[in-house]
Amino acid sequence: MQYLTKNAEIKEVIGKLAAAKTLWLDTETAHWNAPDPKISLIQVLAEPEDLTGDRAYIIDVLNKPDLVEEFISQVMENPEIEKVFHNAKYDVKFLGKERAKNVTCTYKIARKRKRARLQVPNLQLKTLAEHLCHFSNVDKSEQASDWGQRPLTPKQLQYAKMDVVYLAQVHRRLLEIINLAESDNIVNLAQTVNNNFTPTKVRLAFECPRLFYLHQRFGGNTLFLPKDAATGIGKAFHNLAEQFVNLAQKSLEFKNLFEPAAEQLKVEQIALRMQQLFYRLAFYPYLHQQEQSLAPGILRIWEGLQGLIRRWAELLVVNRRYCSAETVMNKTFVTQSRKLEHNFNLPDGSQQRVVGEFDCLIYNCERDRLCVVEFKTYKPEDTSAQLAQVSLYSYMLKEKQNVPVDSAVYCVLPEFKEYYYPWEQLENTVHSLIPHKLQQMRQWLTWESGQPNPPPSTIQPHLCQICPQREKCQTFFDVADGNDREAEPPI
DNA sequence: TTATGCTTTATAGCGCACCG
DNA sequence: CGGTGCGCTATAAAGCATAA
């Protein structure tokens, strides 16, 4: 350690320090409690690998404002020199304030990273030196001693030199820790990409892996629509169907329909009354808040709703035998969160998360079964893919609540038609088909143009004729895999 | 494509920990 | 003691991802 008290040697050292790239600095002040504290020492370390403080300078600047000024102008103002302090604000107050350039504060760094990684009780330099570096028995007892006295005690000088040693080490460790944390963040960020599948995507992958691939990579439509593009019908229907459930549960008029004894209830009559009620309470108001442009579609929606209500009337009449008029609605229409998620174990040992939400959940008292309902507002072209989709809903709900769950698909347009899949049938589908399919889907998505084994085209040639991305599929896969199309079934 | 909800961003106030 | 500025919290707004 060099303890500098003579003006000439101090000036010489300041001149040397002015050429440094980085300096680790600390100051001691006298009379910190008084109205005008005075700076007493400037400790400087230019060689951070010094663990003993032997290479540290202790510059005595008590009552030497001209030397302080020289230090400020030569070192503090020089933006080429990085000045590292702990709680820099305090020291900089005595060393040029806003004139100081390129100042680093380890206290600030530590605060920024405290929550993320640092496991320390507090952020004092002493604590950081002990917890982050290999120092023990860091003595801070001199910190608040009288730095205005001369001569300074050996203990004070020892403390003064070690402070910058701790500072340099703590600074180095903090930078290491930051780098670690940031590279971790990058990794985490990269893994945040969407790697979930949904039952809808699984259905699509069953219908046509290529369409699934194109949609996933480039977006675009996925619906196999025959020709009449009945736009917006699906959304409107889903909304209205949900409104019906809400109304049925809340409105007394619906409840009153089921007051008579179960044997006296006639499905046709109930259905008609519910249709009328729904028309008056929900559909008519809906009609009038819509633009007239939907007029052609709106009629079809009403037809679909009538079919739906008719079907539900049957179910309600059955359920009425098992419960009261008050409870039949709440019992039949299960309104809980429709969101589902499940991690599937794949054949290759990995896992795949599937998330999704179903349309509607009903309960059949007679069968003592829940049933997930999926609405379709167009003619289904591939019922096995549809089965795959609803089997996922059933399975995921069953896993969540640990009761068997049936599935139904209501094709409400062009006329009401129901597909019903009892759980016993679905369970087998899920176990035998889904894990393999999920694994395939994952592989398909990693396929790049030019590689072998592209996602195969649908095995149902008639779908290609109504495929919404027919041209894209042809050009993309023709270029990528010229002779592959030859192997496909003729359309 | 659209509705929904979760995430990010914006804003502001406040307490607190740091230095000697 | 005293100045400071960061992070935490609460709240609101905007953006983004996602599901069908």
Side-chain angles (χ1 to χ4, degrees):
Chain A
M1 160 189 56
Q2 289 191 49
Y3 178 41
L4 310 171
T5 56
K6 297 193 170 57
N7 288 7
E9 55 186 13
I10 290 176
K11 287 189 180 192
E12 187 191 333
V13 164
I14 290 177
K16 263 200 282 182
L17 294 175
K21 192 163 177 296
T22 307
L23 294 176
W24 289 264
L25 299 166
D26 188 28
T27 60
E28 307 301 327
T29 50
H31 320 131
W32 55 268
N33 229 348
D36 59 333
K38 286 193 289 190
I39 184 164
S40 167
L41 298 181
I42 304 173
Q43 305 103 284
V44 186
L45 190 66
E47 300 165 54
E49 58 283 355
D50 176 13
L51 295 177
T52 61
D54 291 342
R55 315 300 300 264
Y57 299 105
I58 298 181
I59 308 175
D60 197 324
V61 291
L62 186 67
N63 298 321
K64 294 174 180 170
D66 49 329
L67 286 180
V68 173
E69 171 57 32
E70 177 151 357
F71 187 83
I72 292 171
S73 60
Q74 296 284 307
V75 176
M76 298 305 291
E77 283 192 325
N78 186 347
E80 302 295 313
I81 309 173
E82 180 185 17
K83 275 80 66 177
V84 183
F85 296 88
H86 194 69
N87 197 26
K89 205 74 203 177
Y90 181 83
D91 303 275
V92 168
K93 224 173 13 180
F94 300 95
L95 294 176
K97 303 187 180 172
E98 58 281 345
R99 291 167 64 194
K101 297 289 177 297
N102 198 358
V103 171
T104 298
C105 178
T106 49
Y107 176 55
K108 272 194 202 174
I109 297 175
R111 278 179 63 145
K112 214 168 268 172
R113 286 292 150 186
K114 182 174 167 74
R115 196 167 51 117
R117 233 147 263 273
L118 299 183
Q119 292 184 350
V120 290
N122 62 59
L123 302 180
Q124 297 171 19
L125 183 61
K126 165 188 162 75
T127 313
L128 296 180
E130 285 173 344
H131 281 79
L132 265 44
C133 310
H134 59 283
F135 298 107
S136 55
N137 303 321
V138 176
D139 185 9
K140 273 279 185 183
S141 59
E142 297 300 318
Q143 184 179 44
S145 64
D146 180 4
W147 294 98
Q149 70 178 354
R150 290 296 181 276
L152 295 166
T153 67
K155 223 180 160 191
Q156 281 180 307
L157 290 175
Q158 170 72 14
Y159 165 83
K161 78 166 187 188
M162 288 312 287
D163 242 10
V164 280
V165 172
Y166 299 145
L167 175 65
Q169 294 303 309
V170 165
H171 181 227
R172 187 177 56 80
R173 277 293 291 153
L174 282 176
L175 292 184
E176 283 175 15
I177 291 167
I178 283 180
N179 284 336
L180 278 178
E182 276 176 1
S183 58
D184 264 26
N185 280 344
I186 290 167
V187 171
N188 288 341
L189 225 60
Q191 288 175 347
T192 314
V193 296
N194 166 30
N195 39 19
N196 292 342
F197 287 144
T198 70
T200 309
K201 283 182 186 154
V202 174
R203 166 169 60 76
L204 180 59
F206 269 96
E207 287 169 344
C208 176
R210 286 195 173 177
L211 185 54
F212 163 72
Y213 176 87
L214 290 172
H215 177 255
Q216 197 73 15
R217 290 213 38 175
F218 307 109
N221 294 334
T222 60
L223 233 48
F224 289 99
L225 282 178
K227 10 182 186 295
D228 53 349
T231 54
I233 285 192
K235 182 191 58 172
F237 182 87
H238 281 78
N239 278 340
L240 287 163
E242 198 177 334
Q243 273 192 49
F244 177 84
V245 171
N246 289 336
L247 267 181
Q249 291 189 325
K250 284 187 197 137
S251 162
L252 282 180
E253 295 177 84
F254 280 89
K255 189 200 82 174
N256 289 338
L257 294 177
F258 293 88
E259 287 295 351
E263 307 78 51
Q264 295 170 11
L265 295 177
K266 300 231 166 45
V267 170
E268 287 304 332
Q269 202 182 337
I270 295 274
L272 188 62
R273 291 289 296 129
M274 290 203 301
Q275 284 164 3
Q276 289 168 348
L277 273 175
F278 180 70
Y279 188 90
R280 177 160 62 80
L281 295 174
F283 193 74
Y284 185 76
Y286 172 83
L287 216 54
H288 280 256
Q289 80 183 34
Q290 292 299 315
E291 303 298 327
Q292 296 303 313
S293 58
L294 269 178
I298 209 85
L299 193 63
R300 309 198 57 198
I301 292 177
W302 177 241
E303 286 170 16
L305 286 168
Q306 283 178 305
L308 178 71
I309 293 171
R310 162 71 220 256
R311 175 65 189 89
W312 278 346
E314 288 175 26
L315 178 64
L316 286 164
V317 167
V318 169
N319 280 356
R320 175 64 179 85
R321 300 208 300 265
Y322 300 85
C323 49
S324 67
E326 278 76 25
T327 57
V328 68
M329 290 298 183
N330 289 331
K331 201 89 166 129
T332 304
F333 300 113
V334 186
T335 51
Q336 59 182 46
S337 168
R338 308 201 304 264
K339 289 187 193 310
L340 293 170
E341 68 169 89
H342 185 69
N343 276 318
F344 284 85
N345 294 314
L346 269 41
D348 65 8
S350 65
Q351 284 205 329
Q352 175 62 52
R353 207 165 92 97
V354 175
V355 301
E357 50 186 295
F358 52 79
D359 285 340
C360 181
L361 184 60
I362 55 180
Y363 179 70
N364 185 320
C365 297
E366 189 172 42
R367 296 168 45 84
D368 184 25
R369 267 298 159 83
L370 288 170
C371 178
V372 166
V373 179
E374 175 75 8
F375 299 133
K376 289 267 174 288
T377 51
Y378 53 90
K379 182 168 165 281
E381 296 292 343
D382 186 339
T383 50
S384 63
Q386 174 180 285
L387 169 62
Q389 179 184 11
V390 293
S391 71
L392 275 171
Y393 291 133
S394 278
Y395 182 81
M396 288 160 76
L397 186 60
K398 183 258 172 189
E399 286 295 306
K400 187 174 159 190
Q401 308 194 179
N402 205 27
V403 289
V405 181
D406 295 346
S407 272
V409 178
Y410 290 174
C411 298
V412 286
L413 294 171
E415 79 271 3
F416 187 89
K417 188 172 178 193
E418 176 176 351
Y419 298 81
Y420 202 93
Y421 306 104
W423 165 247
E424 289 72 16
Q425 180 187 344
L426 297 172
E427 185 173 25
N428 191 35
T429 301
V430 171
H431 286 137
S432 61
L433 253 53
I434 297 298
H436 286 93
K437 200 67 181 183
L438 293 174
Q439 193 171 311
Q440 278 185 324
M441 288 166 66
R442 212 194 262 171
Q443 285 163 3
W444 288 334
L445 287 184
T446 62
W447 181 78
E448 294 290 339
S449 184
Q451 288 179 354
N453 302 321
S457 181
T458 172
I459 54 167
Q460 301 201 38
H462 75 280
L463 287 181
C464 282
Q465 292 175 329
I466 53 173
C467 176
Q469 303 208 26
R470 195 162 144 198
E471 291 81 9
K472 173 113 190 164
C473 175
Q474 285 183 359
T475 57
F476 189 85
F477 285 100
D478 277 351
V479 171
D481 188 42
N483 46 16
D484 179 68
R485 291 195 73 81
E486 300 299 317
E488 286 177 30
I491 295 173

